[in-house]
Amino acid sequence: MTGDFSVVDPQEIEQQRFPESGLHHRKLTEALGCTEMRVNTVSLGPGESTTPHAHERQEEVYVALDGGFVGIDGSTYEVARGGVVRIGPEPSRSIRNETDDAVQTWILFGAPPVGTVGDFGEYTVPESDP
């Protein structure tokens, strides 16, 4: 890593577990040297989904490397392989793997980098699922 750019192999970053769901993810923010956004990856096995959450001050962009589904405020949208989703701070959101046999990997970008790397940008977990 240098001050102007960095190259990271996500497979070299140790996996951690999301506090609510226990799903594995990789935090890339520090490895990349990001100062203006948060970057994570998550791989979902068949039938898995992230815990619905929202942010008060952070928008997110999700890149579906293998395709998948995103739930936003109670509606579900199919996202093609390589598809990109932008979600403003307030809507509740979750990503889902609705396949029976494939792992789906997403790259998640959040900005501005409010909160800490550890708290994923001051997220909240709404009482109802998207």
Side-chain angles (χ1 to χ4, degrees), residues 98-109:
E98 297 187 5
T99 69
D100 292 328
D101 60 358
V103 172
Q104 296 176 333
T105 299
W106 295 73
I107 302 175
L108 317 173
F109 301 89

Side-chain angles (χ1 to χ4, degrees), residues 2-123:
T2 73
D4 294 327
F5 74 93
S6 53
V7 177
V8 172
D9 178 351
Q11 299 300 318
E12 294 178 1
I13 305 299
E14 184 177 340
Q15 292 189 48
Q16 299 178 26
R17 291 190 181 271
F18 282 117
E20 290 80 16
S21 67
L23 295 174
H24 285 98
H25 67 283
R26 289 183 166 92
K27 294 181 181 179
L28 304 180
T29 303
E30 290 179 351
L32 287 166
C34 294
T35 59
E36 301 301 317
M37 72 178 80
R38 304 263 186 257
V39 184
N40 298 292
T41 65
V42 63
S43 294
L44 302 173
E48 291 183 329
S49 64
T50 59
T51 300
H53 69 283
H55 297 273
E56 292 181 14
R57 302 185 296 153
Q58 185 181 59
E59 68 180 334
E60 292 183 301
V61 171
Y62 294 174
V63 180
L65 298 181
D66 306 301
F69 289 84
V70 62
I72 303 172
D73 274 349
S75 296
T76 300
Y77 304 91
E78 186 169 5
V79 182
R81 177 184 300 265
V84 180
V85 178
R86 181 232 167 234
I87 307 166
E90 295 181 12
S92 178
R93 77 283 316 261
S94 175
I95 52 177
R96 304 172 185 170
N97 180 343
E98 297 187 5
T99 69
D100 292 328
D101 60 358
V103 172
Q104 296 176 333
T105 299
W106 295 73
I107 302 175
L108 317 173
F109 301 89
V114 295
T116 67
V117 171
D119 72 13
F120 297 101
E122 300 177 341
Y123 71 97

